[in-house]
Amino acid sequence: MSVFNKLLNLNNINKNKGKFIKIYRSFSTTIDKTSSSSSSSWKNNQQEQQQQQTQQQQQQPPINKINRIFRDEVIITEDTNKFHLEKKNGENQQLNISKKTTDEYIRPELIERAKSLPHTSSPLSDQSKRVQYNWLLEPHSQPILGKGKQHLYNFSTESIDPSIFFRQNNFTIPLAIKFIQRMGLSNHPNRILETMKLFEEKSVELNQKLYSCILSGLANCKDIDNCLMVFEKMLSNGIKPNNHIFNSLFIVHMANGKVDESFQILNSMETTYGLLPDHINYTSLINGLVKNKKTKLAIQLFSEARIKGMQPDSVTLSVMVDACAKSDLVEKAFQYYEEFKYLNLTPTEVTFNSLIYACAKRSDDHYYLKSFELLQDMAFHKFKPDIITYTSLMKGAANRGEVHVFEKIYKELLYNRDDFKHQPDQRVFTCALLGYANNQIISKKTYLDKTGLSRNIEKSEKVLQEMKARGIPLTKYPMDEYLKVLTHSGRLNRARETFDIEYPKHNIKPDIITYGIIIKMYVDHRRLEKALEILHQMKNNGIEGDYYIYLTLMFGTAKVGYAKTCLKIANEMNRLGFPPKIEDLKGILLRFNEYPDIVNEIKRISVFGEDDDYHQTHFVSNE
């Protein structure tokens, strides 16, 4: 590859970084016309070409170092025998880039400021803001593929006083619009209102476009009161709303949990103002329903919108895929994924990550293998897998207890993925501990060789040590998984010691999941008295048991043959409002056949397993 082609590739890379890097090249091509046909002349020409290539390789700058110069505006030109690097101020300096480092051309304060930004400041973390952000930077950069997190370097989320900003810059309508958009994405509603007052001071008449921009910025800030105030002021000035303005009202109402009001606005949009909602309006409503955990209503709204003729785009389908994935509707998620092909749309990065996450929640072979097929599809569409992708794949292998698979991904994230802006956090380590805990169940079934039990405990302890070495705080989630590693291996005393000592040592307060792990451990080993002791301790700490806890205790009574205690627990469940389901008690009732009175009383208390909301809400799975 010639030097010109390499610089051309470098230019494409730098465009993706979203900076104003301009690489100008001046080159000349010469065509050697040789007419010699003898073998000796051909060999001489080949030797000359090899020498020229060697000289070019020695002269060309290291591309990986030039690749880092993206924060200052530089110009790289190519002459016949040398390279020039010109500074932003126009000073001509002939530099040997292979010997000079690029640190002096990178402003350290920008890097430090970018590192100090919290992860939640990312405007790309929300689907509705992602489109606006890409549109905002469209004149300067190509769309960002993958989560390279370049926005941490070129998107400031600081609050800027509009009076100071427009004192330093000429006040123009396009610049004011971009300023409002930036303050909206950065969550500074007061700056948007100050800019609105600045329009009045400069005698700028607010039209439909400006009102739309202001409402969009306030909606991104979730400022519903000022949004409605600006909307009423717009109506009083005789300006009719359009689809984009109603879209801002949908976003701000859904962000504040006002689902019913959002549908009232949708009805008013169609009946009062005669506007037909477009795919952007439906996408905002569906995204809001998903965030308010109303997935079934979101699916219903999407179907009704399709009947009305709405043509979804990639963002709409990605929202539907993500909603179904989070609600464990994997089959439905793949149906929406097939619509990408039917509508000739390109899936987004969120689409693949959501589908892989959905497959990871299923432990069957079909979806487990499907997750790795999606990884290949992701590469086919030129999306770079990020830490979320790898974590989802790792979780799928961990749920199945496949040590060799999740360990490979775990080591890849820890030691071979320095290109990720986000380094492994506690979710990665929690997945590793989950894998070892599930593998303990598999190892217990191996009667001839149970060395895997001790081996998994040792590996789990190394994971905790790695967390400590990396400065990652030890929270409840990894500790719960480590507790499962001990309980699944039958280490009762060690598990109880971890529960009584290690949790308070790290200021971790056990919740109902943690107590459920200990109770199940004692029940599995026929220590019902210890399990009831933990239940009493849990109540003293202000935590009430759920359906799963009490059902586990009922199975514990069946193991030791305590029929009266079983009836007592059933009465307690009925008193708390979640009576036991009759289909969950088949094995228990069969165990107490010799006590017909108690069995009949338990049957009288129990209910049939209709799909009621209460049991779904109070069934907490600890596995």
Side-chain angles (χ1 to χ4, degrees):
M1 182 182 291
S2 64
V3 178
F4 171 73
N5 289 333
K6 289 186 177 180
L7 287 175
L8 182 63
N9 292 336
L10 173 62
N11 189 25
N12 293 333
I13 294 173
N14 284 330
K15 280 183 178 179
N16 285 333
K17 295 184 179 299
K19 301 305 293 182
F20 305 98
I21 299 178
K22 300 177 182 179
I23 299 181
Y24 300 93
R25 323 159 188 70
S26 61
F27 65 97
S28 60
T29 58
T30 59
I31 302 176
D32 295 334
K33 298 181 180 180
T34 58
S35 59
S36 176
S37 61
S38 62
S39 60
S40 59
S41 60
W42 179 83
K43 292 181 179 179
N44 292 333
N45 289 335
Q46 188 179 21
Q47 293 177 357
E48 291 177 1
Q49 290 178 2
Q50 291 178 355
Q51 292 177 0
Q52 291 177 1
Q53 290 178 359
T54 305
Q55 292 177 0
Q56 290 178 359
Q57 290 177 359
Q58 294 175 354
Q59 294 171 359
Q60 70 181 18
I63 300 302
N64 60 341
K65 290 189 176 181
I66 297 180
N67 187 26
R68 293 174 55 198
I69 310 178
F70 63 90
R71 296 177 183 83
D72 286 338
E73 185 175 356
V74 298
I75 300 175
I76 301 176
T77 60
E78 179 187 1
D79 292 339
T80 307
N81 296 321
K82 57 186 177 181
F83 289 86
H84 297 281
L85 188 146
E86 299 180 7
K87 296 284 286 190
K88 184 178 178 180
N89 54 12
E91 298 177 358
N92 295 328
Q93 297 179 354
Q94 296 184 7
L95 302 176
N96 188 345
I97 304 179
S98 60
K99 295 182 180 179
K100 280 276 185 178
T101 61
T102 59
D103 293 339
E104 58 181 294
Y105 305 114
I106 303 174
R107 287 183 288 174
E109 62 271 14
L110 284 179
I111 304 176
E112 295 301 323
R113 187 171 63 180
K115 290 180 179 179
S116 64
L117 287 175
H119 300 330
T120 54
S121 66
S122 166
L124 301 186
S125 60
D126 186 271
Q127 275 286 343
S128 59
K129 294 184 180 181
R130 179 189 293 264
V131 178
Q132 299 179 45
Y133 174 79
N134 287 338
W135 177 82
L136 184 62
L137 294 183
E138 188 176 3
H140 310 306
S141 68
Q142 297 176 352
I144 296 175
L145 298 181
K147 293 191 175 180
K149 302 296 184 289
Q150 289 89 346
H151 63 277
L152 292 178
Y153 295 98
N154 57 30
F155 191 89
S156 173
T157 57
E158 295 180 357
S159 176
I160 303 174
D161 191 339
S163 59
I164 298 176
F165 178 80
F166 289 108
R167 197 180 304 141
Q168 299 173 351
N169 301 275
N170 293 330
F171 182 86
T172 61
I173 298 299
L175 184 60
I177 290 175
K178 287 193 173 184
F179 179 83
I180 292 173
Q181 291 171 341
R182 176 155 298 200
M183 292 298 100
L185 291 172
S186 303
N187 196 22
H188 300 298
N190 294 331
R191 297 305 187 187
I192 298 175
L193 298 176
E194 292 173 4
T195 309
M196 188 177 174
K197 293 181 180 179
L198 195 62
F199 282 130
E200 299 176 357
E201 294 176 1
K202 295 185 176 293
S203 301
V204 177
E205 184 178 358
L206 296 178
N207 55 20
Q208 188 185 63
K209 182 178 180 180
L210 291 177
Y211 272 114
S212 176
C213 177
I214 293 171
L215 287 169
S216 177
L218 293 173
N220 287 331
C221 299
K222 302 179 181 180
D223 192 347
I224 187 171
D225 295 331
N226 286 320
C227 236
L228 294 176
M229 181 268 294
V230 172
F231 182 72
E232 291 176 359
K233 184 176 181 180
M234 181 193 71
L235 294 178
S236 63
N237 291 335
I239 299 176
K240 295 182 178 180
N242 56 12
N243 287 65
H244 190 269
I245 290 175
F246 274 107
N247 192 65
S248 299
L249 296 178
F250 294 146
I251 292 174
V252 73
H253 279 81
M254 285 294 185
N256 288 271
K258 297 182 179 296
V259 177
D260 295 336
E261 289 83 349
S262 299
F263 281 99
Q264 292 175 6
I265 295 173
L266 178 64
N267 183 51
S268 175
M269 176 183 177
E270 296 176 317
T271 57
T272 306
Y273 296 94
L275 294 174
L276 184 65
D278 56 14
H279 70 281
I280 299 178
N281 300 137
Y282 281 116
T283 301
S284 299
L285 286 168
I286 292 170
N287 191 36
L289 290 172
V290 173
K291 290 184 177 180
N292 286 281
K293 299 181 179 181
K294 296 183 180 296
T295 306
K296 293 182 179 179
L297 187 57
I299 295 174
Q300 180 182 349
L301 178 63
F302 179 82
S303 300
E304 293 177 358
R306 292 300 304 271
I307 294 173
K308 292 181 180 179
M310 186 269 293
Q311 290 294 326
D313 60 359
S314 297
V315 177
T316 310
L317 290 177
S318 295
V319 170
M320 294 305 302
V321 169
D322 186 55
C324 295
K326 291 179 179 178
S327 302
D328 201 19
L329 302 173
V330 186
E331 292 79 8
K332 194 72 175 177
F334 275 97
Q335 290 179 12
Y336 291 122
Y337 179 60
E338 291 298 324
E339 289 199 39
F340 279 96
K341 302 175 184 178
Y342 176 74
L343 298 173
N344 197 22
L345 297 173
T346 302
T348 65
E349 178 198 16
V350 176
T351 309
F352 291 108
N353 279 338
S354 299
L355 286 172
I356 293 174
Y357 171 77
C359 291
K361 296 174 71 175
R362 297 288 183 91
S363 57
D364 56 279
D365 295 338
H366 172 72
Y367 287 109
Y368 177 65
L369 298 176
K370 191 72 175 177
S371 62
F372 290 93
E373 292 178 8
L374 289 168
L375 184 65
Q376 296 177 352
D377 292 344
M378 195 174 187
F380 175 78
H381 287 89
K382 298 181 180 180
F383 285 104
K384 180 182 177 182
D386 58 5
I387 192 169
I388 299 176
T389 313
Y390 279 95
T391 305
S392 298
L393 290 170
M394 184 179 173
K395 186 174 182 180
N399 286 335
R400 296 166 59 93
E402 297 191 2
V403 176
H404 298 294
V405 179
F406 76 75
E407 276 186 347
K408 184 177 181 180
I409 303 175
Y410 172 70
K411 292 177 181 178
E412 179 76 12
L413 286 173
L414 257 58
Y415 307 113
N416 299 328
R417 303 305 306 187
D418 294 335
D419 54 330
F420 288 163
K421 294 295 180 182
H422 285 182
Q423 293 302 311
D425 55 8
Q426 71 166 0
R427 289 174 294 182
V428 175
F429 298 98
T430 303
C431 279
L433 294 169
L434 171 65
Y436 291 125
N438 289 333
N439 188 259
Q440 294 290 67
I441 301 175
I442 301 174
S443 299
K444 279 198 302 184
K445 296 178 181 179
T446 307
Y447 296 100
L448 298 179
D449 184 14
K450 295 188 178 182
T451 56
L453 297 174
S454 301
R455 191 185 307 117
N456 287 333
I457 294 176
E458 294 175 0
K459 291 181 178 180
S460 300
E461 291 174 348
K462 289 182 180 179
V463 172
L464 297 178
Q465 293 173 3
E466 184 69 26
M467 289 183 65
K468 184 178 180 181
R470 290 174 175 262
I472 299 175
L474 194 61
T475 61
K476 189 193 79 68
Y477 302 104
M479 279 299 294
D480 281 354
E481 298 303 331
Y482 175 67
L483 191 63
K484 287 182 184 179
V485 175
L486 299 176
T487 58
H488 290 171
S489 61
R491 307 296 200 272
L492 276 65
N493 294 333
R494 193 168 176 181
R496 186 61 186 269
E497 181 181 350
T498 302
F499 178 77
D500 292 336
I501 299 177
E502 294 299 326
Y503 274 76
K505 179 181 178 181
H506 295 91
N507 296 323
I508 300 174
K509 186 178 180 180
D511 62 358
I512 192 171
I513 304 293
T514 312
Y515 283 110
I517 296 171
I518 296 295
I519 289 174
K520 188 176 185 302
M521 176 189 71
Y522 283 128
V523 167
D524 290 342
H525 292 83
R526 301 174 182 271
R527 305 285 183 88
L528 183 62
E529 292 80 4
K530 290 286 186 180
L532 294 173
E533 176 187 328
I534 294 296
L535 177 67
H536 182 70
Q537 178 182 343
M538 182 177 67
K539 290 182 178 180
N540 290 338
N541 291 330
I543 302 175
E544 191 62 61
D546 66 346
Y547 183 82
Y548 173 83
I549 295 288
Y550 283 99
L551 185 63
T552 303
L553 290 171
M554 290 186 72
F555 276 104
T557 60
K559 284 189 175 185
V560 296
Y562 291 176
K564 292 183 179 180
T565 306
C566 183
L567 177 60
K568 183 179 179 181
I569 294 173
N571 285 321
E572 182 71 11
M573 294 174 69
N574 189 37
R575 184 186 67 81
L576 292 173
F578 46 90
K581 296 181 180 180
I582 194 68
E583 63 268 20
D584 293 335
L585 305 178
K586 291 181 180 179
I588 298 174
L589 298 179
L590 185 63
R591 173 66 176 83
F592 295 134
N593 270 339
E594 56 189 38
Y595 305 104
D597 295 339
I598 294 178
V599 170
N600 292 332
E601 184 66 19
I602 293 176
K603 286 182 179 180
R604 187 187 63 80
I605 297 173
S606 304
V607 295
F608 290 97
E610 65 273 6
D611 293 332
D612 57 299
D613 295 335
Y614 193 89
H615 281 88
Q616 293 178 2
T617 304
H618 287 75
F619 191 89
V620 181
S621 176
N622 294 323
E623 296 299 328

